[in-house]
Amino acid sequence: MKPTHMLLFVLCPTLVLGFIYYSSRKLHLPAWGQKTPCRGFHSSSEGAAEESAAAPTKELETDSTAGRLVGSVYDKQGFLLQLDAKLSPELTYKYGNLSEGVCKPGFAAAKMKAIYPKFLKLVPMFLDRNFKRLAKVNNYLPPFGFKTQERIIDNILSYTKNYGLGEPLDSLSCKRCIIVGNGGILSNKSLGSRIDEYDVVVRLNEAPVFGYDKDVGSKTTLRITYPEGAIQKPDVYERDSLFVFSAFKPLDFKWLKQMVFKEKLKGTEGFWKSVAHHVPREATEIRILNPFFIQEAAFQFIGLPFNNGLMGKGNIPTLGTVAITMALHNCDEVAVAGFGYDMNTPHAPLHYYETVKMSAIKESWTHNIAREKEFLRKLVRANVIADLTNGI
């Protein structure tokens, strides 16, 4: 074979293969070019710095099928990375035309939906006689559901007979709610009168009101607690407040039944500390918190370990975050006060009513304070909730 023929024999296939490869690159270019991790690439270092400062840091996810990095606008829990997401023009107009101080119907849910598209507003606050239809929780044991406890719950609910906040509040077209945490940050803030202005004031566990009303207010709409956290002195309970029970283990429902039916307390083995022997409330003033809020706060919002749906180390949200989750679904505006663990001040008071120090929270095996604070900060930064004490 002549040298020229040999050259053509080698060169022609090479050119054909090169053309095919180039064509395939051109055909696939739009797919590969979808929103690259670097936004607005600038020719000057100054321009690049401005773009970097103006744009939120995007999470980079590896696309194993294409072997490339794709920019994502959501974090692992499904929240927008750009937390200052704007409401739709319709909602912006609606809320912008309301007078200052007027309750904004659906505001908290709208803001939550803007940063967390998976959010669904309609979730009942308390269990009622149709509780078995709640698909999200009927297959989980406490605290994430009520599996194995259906009969005792049905028995309790048939006796309590009431499943809402009460006619005056249930009939409100717009509810402003505040969850009052137990944090020492509440001390000397004189927020009592401001807290009492809310339609619904939620308190947690045994946190007292009497003697602290200047800072924490005197109004209590409902108090959420579990057996070990319940007030043990009957005379300390406020008047005209609902006792809202939150279960963390099957044994808790047995305790609640004894409280509802005014039975003598027995079978206290299994509680991690002493529990109340009597709750000075009529059956009609007792509610069972929907365990969906514990489940959603733990697994969807915070991202705690699922652990096959069982309570385990570091996968239980604090009751305060559970209460906030409840409020997001059932209140139009949501505020908090007394929230925030500052681990950099270990000797600061943990609670406003006792001398236990901040360092004690490190001993808790059930909570992940760092992850929980990260979630709450998202809500504050996006103006989903208002933080009156600026502790989050």
Side-chain angles (χ1 to χ4, degrees), residues 60-126:
L60 296 181
E61 299 176 334
T62 302
D63 186 334
S64 58
T65 58
R68 65 185 186 274
L69 292 176
V70 181
S72 173
V73 295
Y74 300 100
D75 64 17
K76 292 179 180 179
Q77 299 314 123
F79 286 91
L80 278 177
L81 292 170
Q82 185 177 341
L83 290 174
D84 59 346
K86 301 295 187 295
L87 293 171
S88 66
E90 294 81 7
L91 289 176
T92 301
Y93 177 80
K94 173 184 176 181
Y95 296 131
N97 280 327
L98 292 175
S99 301
E100 186 176 352
V102 173
C103 184
K104 303 181 182 70
F107 181 77
K111 291 292 291 184
M112 186 67 175
K113 185 79 173 178
I115 66 167
Y116 186 78
K118 295 183 288 184
F119 183 75
L120 299 174
K121 177 174 171 54
L122 298 177
V123 178
M125 187 179 287
F126 310 125

Side-chain angles (χ1 to χ4, degrees), residues 190-258:
S190 299
L191 287 172
S193 59
R194 188 175 175 188
I195 289 171
D196 286 343
E197 291 175 354
Y198 284 80
D199 301 307
V200 177
V201 179
V202 182
R203 300 191 190 276
L204 309 169
N205 292 325
E206 75 276 22
V209 169
F210 304 117
Y212 301 92
D213 53 298
K214 181 180 178 181
D215 290 322
V216 306
S218 58
K219 178 180 178 180
T220 303
T221 310
L222 54 94
R223 184 178 288 275
I224 306 176
T225 189
Y226 53 96
E228 293 93 337
I231 296 173
Q232 298 195 29
K233 296 180 180 180
D235 58 335
V236 179
Y237 279 82
E238 314 92 327
R239 293 181 179 180
D240 304 321
S241 65
L242 295 177
F243 181 91
V244 179
F245 167 79
S246 181
F248 285 88
K249 51 189 178 298
L251 179 63
D252 294 350
F253 283 104
K254 181 179 178 181
W255 175 86
L256 178 64
K257 178 178 178 292
Q258 294 172 349

Side-chain angles (χ1 to χ4, degrees), residues 20-82:
I20 293 173
Y21 177 75
Y22 175 77
S23 299
S24 67
R25 291 281 292 175
K26 294 290 285 182
L27 287 172
H28 286 83
L29 188 58
W32 282 68
Q34 291 175 353
K35 292 201 175 187
T36 60
C38 298
R39 291 183 55 196
F41 189 81
H42 292 269
S43 57
S44 69
S45 59
E46 181 180 357
E50 290 176 354
E51 182 67 11
S52 176
T57 303
K58 288 195 173 186
E59 177 187 65
L60 296 181
E61 299 176 334
T62 302
D63 186 334
S64 58
T65 58
R68 65 185 186 274
L69 292 176
V70 181
S72 173
V73 295
Y74 300 100
D75 64 17
K76 292 179 180 179
Q77 299 314 123
F79 286 91
L80 278 177
L81 292 170
Q82 185 177 341

Side-chain angles (χ1 to χ4, degrees), residues 271-292:
F271 294 114
W272 57 270
K273 74 171 194 174
S274 61
V275 297
H277 286 239
H278 174 64
V279 173
R281 286 291 179 272
E282 297 301 320
T284 55
E285 300 172 315
I286 295 176
R287 305 287 187 271
I288 300 177
L289 187 70
N290 189 342
F292 172 81

Side-chain angles (χ1 to χ4, degrees), residues 353-382:
Y353 53 87
E354 59 184 5
T355 58
V356 176
K357 302 303 181 185
M358 192 71 65
S359 56
I361 195 65
K362 292 184 178 181
E363 301 172 7
S364 172
W365 69 276
T366 53
H367 307 310
N368 187 324
I369 298 303
R371 293 290 296 275
E372 197 160 325
K373 193 166 187 176
E374 181 183 345
F375 160 61
L376 295 180
R377 279 178 171 170
K378 294 174 186 176
L379 300 185
V380 173
R381 286 173 58 196

